[in-house]
Amino acid sequence: MTITDITTTRAEQISADKPVAVLYSQPGCGPCIGLERALKSAGAAYNKIDITQDADALARVRSLGYSGTPVIEIHQDGQLIDHWHGLDIHRVAQHFPKEVA
């Protein structure tokens, strides 16, 4: 299964108008853990992929111009709308604002 397949499958599971994140991480990465916590806290739909176990994921990270983790992609309506490297919780909040009941 390719990265695109994973993202597309997950996107089909939720409403098309909401973003979906792909988190590229690796074991022992503190910022990766922090970014995953931020995604969970925001209630974000996301897939976490370990680049040490998935050569396609590592290639994807490199193709985006990054050499380390965490790297996050944001997809919406089948399109890549944003990506970045590092623990940027403000950007997570930008894409996944918490819904107020």
Side-chain angles (χ1 to χ4, degrees), residues 24-26 29 31-32 51 57-58 61-62 64-72 84-86:
Y24 300 99
S25 68
Q26 58 186 319
C29 170
C32 298
I51 66 167
L58 177 58
V61 165
R62 289 183 176 158
L64 292 170
Y66 305 115
S67 60
T69 56
V71 171
I72 188 164
W84 69 88
H85 172 267

Side-chain angles (χ1 to χ4, degrees), residues 19 21 23 31 34-46 72 74 82 84 86-98:
L23 170 60
L35 190 53
E36 185 172 17
R37 283 184 186 149
L39 288 167
K40 285 181 181 177
S41 177
Y46 72 96
I72 188 164
I74 306 296
D82 198 5
W84 69 88
L87 177 58
D88 189 340
I89 59 174
H90 299 291
R91 234 157 143 182
V92 170
Q94 217 175 14
H95 289 290
F96 301 99
K98 289 187 179 179

Side-chain angles (χ1 to χ4, degrees), residues 5-77:
D5 293 336
I6 291 168
T7 304
T8 302
T9 301
R10 182 64 177 139
E12 290 169 353
Q13 294 172 357
I14 62 171
S15 175
D17 63 338
K18 293 187 179 185
V20 176
V22 178
L23 170 60
Y24 300 99
S25 68
Q26 58 186 319
C29 170
C32 298
I33 294 167
L35 190 53
E36 185 172 17
R37 283 184 186 149
L39 288 167
K40 285 181 181 177
S41 177
Y46 72 96
N47 293 303
K48 179 180 169 185
I49 303 171
D50 181 346
I51 66 167
T52 67
Q53 300 297 313
D54 187 324
D56 290 336
L58 177 58
R60 176 64 179 169
V61 165
R62 289 183 176 158
S63 76
L64 292 170
Y66 305 115
S67 60
T69 56
V71 171
I72 188 164
E73 291 181 329
I74 306 296
H75 298 261
Q76 189 165 358
D77 297 324

